[in-house]
Amino acid sequence: MKLLFVAVIVAVLGLGCCDTPANCTYDDVQGTWKFYISKDVGDRTMDCSKMGSVGSIRKINLKYPDLATDEFGNEGFWTMVYNQGFEVVIAGRKFFAFSKYKGSLQNATSYCDQTMPGWSHDVVEHQWSCYYGEKLEKLAPKATHLIDESQMKSSVYKPNPDYIRQLNEASSTWKATIYAEYEGMHLIDLHRRNGGSRSRVSSPGRGLLKEETKMAAVNLPESWDWRNVDGVDFVSPVRNQGGCGSCYAFSSMAMNEARIRVMSNNTQMPVFSPQDIVDCCQYSQGCDGGFPYLVGGKYAEDFGLVDESCDPYVGEDRKCKSTSCSRRYATRYRYVGGYYGACNEQEMKLALQRGPLSVSFMVYDDFMHYKSGVYRHSGLTDKYNPFEITNHAVLLVGYGADEGTKYWIVKNSWGKGWGEEGYFRILRGADECAIESIAVETFPVL
Ligand SMILES: *[C@@H]1O[C@H](CO)[C@@H](O)[C@H](O)[C@H]1NC(C)=O
Ligand SMILES: *[C@@H]1O[C@H](CO)[C@@H](O)[C@H](O)[C@H]1NC(C)=O
Ligand SMILES: *[C@@H]1O[C@H](CO)[C@@H](O)[C@H](O)[C@H]1NC(C)=O
């Protein structure tokens, strides 16, 4: 019922779902843009879901990979945010907007030479305006091929012991199991839990390994685990996101929670509210997905995070209610390596020394059955339960090696009963399931 209701709203308004259906690349976006900035100036409460009248125009050139220049010759920074939009920081102002799209769930069109109305403010959070961008060079609209969810909506998960047996025969590094709690769940809910229907792109691949990164990484320890640094645990407890596609919110909250513990030597141990993100964050799409760069990073900087007790988790989309709860902020959020596409194992190991990182990876149906060991994708599919590949956000807390098999240690948000007490290990150094492609870090304000 609720899903149907959401689907109707989306069809009527043509608004976001499932991340957004935009599917734009560096190639599409690099070039010269005009940013049309609203006449209205306000604070963070400005409603930028629609644009007011235009007060000024800026001309900004974006050059791959991360150089932005304006009409006055100022130099700044830009990055794609996956395939969803792009952020520019130049001459003391930040600009973020989603790339323009139209259409419904199954049939969307991206207009990568334009943006939706977005948010602009100076780097110290003053002078908010709305804006939209238009690229001087026109691009042909692109159709996005989103997943057909109808089959997953009507199907219920059926345990498939044969599949588990095949997985255990095929993999030497990890063990699979049947999770009783999946039985009877709708595939669509499991699918949303796995990350939801994103307009997926292939991994941008690992960024080039810079000489200075290589040198710096040489001195890093052989293994690391933020749950046990000389006997001290800096990671907040494992949580359960349920059937809502809010993994990005859990990953983002967990990163800020752990980094505050690290920075305060465990004298501050907040637990933040992912429900506040689901309800209130306009930089993400509620139970239909989002990205840690925009949530654990940008939302935490622009709007701040509230405590779990302020908005306890229910795992459904609700209307945002204003609260007077106190907020905690973070700053200097960044893609590990500097921009989207610059990530690699050594950069991740270095950034991890400052605290846990939000990372994302592709979830295939074998992963749902992970029990223990070092996961690598088996290539086997579960014919009873036809899932689509999704992109799932989690928290990187450490790394190590087991008889020569290098792994990352990762905190999931599927409860403590899943995997290795809520955690899993995954092959390291091979961009397994794109886990080395999109790490994010942020710096909480103590
Ligand atoms: C998809 O959308 C386009 C343009 O909005 C329309 O022309 C086309 O008929 C639609 N296709 C389907 C299968 O609904
Ligand atoms: C997004 O675009 C890329 C290339 O531009 C394409 O390979 C991919 O299939 C597209 N994704 C969707 C969901 O349409
Ligand atoms: C951090 O906390 C531990 C345990 O309470 C304490 O032993 C240690 O001295 C603290 N470190 C610093 C730098 O204060």
Side-chain angles (χ1 to χ4, degrees):
M1 189 60 206
K2 178 155 168 63
L3 270 175
L4 186 66
F5 177 69
V6 171
V8 168
I9 300 263
V10 165
V12 171
L13 301 178
L15 280 178
C17 171
C18 314
D19 303 338
T20 83
N23 184 21
C24 302
T25 64
Y26 272 105
D27 268 347
D28 297 332
V29 170
Q30 68 171 334
T32 303
W33 287 75
K34 277 189 172 168
F35 285 178
Y36 296 85
I37 301 166
S38 68
K39 194 179 279 164
D40 290 342
V41 176
D43 60 16
R44 64 188 73 179
T45 60
M46 272 188 93
D47 177 10
C48 289
S49 59
K50 49 196 177 301
M51 223 359 241
S53 51
V54 174
S56 63
I57 302 175
R58 293 284 302 275
K59 199 166 160 186
I60 290 172
N61 183 266
L62 306 177
K63 192 164 174 250
Y64 182 80
D66 63 349
L67 177 65
T69 44
D70 67 9
E71 64 269 59
F72 310 114
N74 296 302
E75 293 195 345
F77 162 83
W78 76 290
T79 182
M80 290 298 297
V81 178
Y82 200 64
N83 61 351
Q84 301 275 288
F86 58 97
E87 187 174 52
V88 179
V89 187
I90 192 161
R93 276 196 93 71
K94 285 195 178 193
F95 299 87
F96 171 74
F98 289 106
S99 292
K100 185 163 172 173
Y101 57 88
K102 276 188 194 160
S104 62
L105 286 177
Q106 271 74 39
N107 183 22
T109 307
S110 308
Y111 301 85
C112 297
D113 55 1
Q114 298 166 53
T115 75
M116 305 298 273
W119 302 262
S120 166
H121 53 79
D122 67 32
V123 293
V124 283
E125 300 288 338
H126 300 130
Q127 304 276 331
W128 283 64
S129 302
C130 307
Y131 82 101
Y132 68 93
E134 275 180 14
K135 197 177 164 187
L136 298 193
E137 179 201 351
K138 296 295 158 225
L139 300 177
K142 283 206 283 195
T144 304
H145 307 288
L146 286 180
I147 295 164
D148 180 3
E149 293 188 336
S150 49
Q151 197 186 352
M152 286 188 288
K153 275 181 188 158
S154 56
S155 312
V156 166
Y157 178 85
K158 290 183 286 292
N160 183 354
D162 223 35
Y163 182 56
I164 304 301
R165 193 179 43 73
Q166 283 171 25
L167 289 177
N168 282 326
E169 278 169 13
S171 87
S172 56
T173 58
W174 63 281
K175 295 248 168 318
T177 191
I178 289 184
Y179 285 101
E181 64 265 32
Y182 296 172
E183 200 170 337
M185 274 178 84
H186 278 101
L187 293 192
I188 188 74
D189 290 331
L190 282 165
H191 173 71
R192 280 154 70 100
R193 194 189 72 142
N194 290 354
S197 295
R198 331 204 118 183
S199 50
R200 295 180 319 264
V201 277
S202 49
S203 163
R206 287 168 285 171
L208 281 180
L209 180 55
K210 290 183 282 215
E211 201 53 40
E212 71 251 35
T213 308
K214 208 156 128 189
M215 302 278 285
V218 165
N219 299 318
L220 292 176
E222 284 288 292
S223 62
W224 190 260
D225 188 347
W226 280 111
R227 296 169 303 175
N228 180 0
V229 182
D230 295 331
V232 182
D233 183 355
F234 291 94
V235 185
S236 50
V238 170
R239 302 190 60 183
N240 194 340
Q241 68 184 91
C244 165
S246 52
C247 56
Y248 69 93
F250 280 86
S251 164
S252 296
M253 299 307 99
M255 171 170 58
N256 279 281
E257 289 161 8
R259 286 189 160 225
I260 287 176
R261 288 176 182 223
V262 171
M263 290 171 74
S264 71
N265 193 22
N266 274 334
T267 58
Q268 296 178 27
M269 298 187 169
V271 173
F272 293 122
S273 165
Q275 189 64 42
D276 173 67
I277 304 300
V278 170
D279 293 348
C280 299
C281 178
Q282 294 183 62
Y283 300 155
S284 57
Q285 288 72 43
C287 282
D288 289 313
F291 288 85
Y293 182 84
L294 297 175
V295 173
K298 191 172 176 65
Y299 183 80
E301 180 170 289
D302 290 350
F303 294 92
L305 309 176
V306 299
D307 203 77
E308 170 69 10
S309 60
C310 178
D311 195 356
Y313 191 64
V314 292
E316 339 179 323
D317 289 301
R318 293 185 314 191
K319 219 169 127 67
C320 179
K321 289 199 290 271
S322 67
T323 71
S324 55
C325 302
S326 66
R327 292 181 171 269
R328 294 290 301 258
Y329 297 88
T331 187
R332 285 164 50 213
Y333 55 92
R334 66 191 282 270
Y335 279 118
V336 169
Y339 55 89
Y340 175 53
C343 193
N344 59 48
E345 178 194 0
Q346 303 307 329
E347 292 280 0
M348 286 165 72
K349 281 171 69 180
L350 282 169
L352 189 65
Q353 298 307 301
R354 296 185 281 267
L357 309 174
S358 279
V359 294
S360 305
F361 70 109
M362 306 306 260
V363 170
Y364 297 88
D365 35 12
D366 58 357
F367 180 77
M368 297 172 51
H369 301 287
Y370 169 90
K371 179 167 172 255
S372 60
V374 179
Y375 174 78
R376 54 199 303 187
H377 178 44
S378 66
L380 299 171
T381 52
D382 180 353
K383 60 181 188 296
Y384 285 7
N385 301 293
F387 282 106
E388 296 288 345
I389 307 163
T390 59
N391 191 326
H392 183 48
V394 286
L395 187 77
L396 181 69
V397 304
Y399 59 86
D402 191 359
E403 289 171 4
T405 305
K406 296 199 301 175
Y407 57 78
W408 297 112
I409 308 169
V410 190
K411 181 189 181 192
N412 202 350
S413 47
W414 294 352
K416 241 193 135 154
W418 183 89
E420 296 180 333
E421 299 197 28
Y423 284 76
F424 63 97
R425 288 176 292 152
I426 183 169
L427 191 68
R428 168 166 62 98
D431 198 24
E432 179 67 28
C433 297
I435 191 131
E436 283 148 24
S437 71
I438 187 172
V440 171
E441 74 174 322
T442 194
F443 297 85
V445 178
L446 272 192

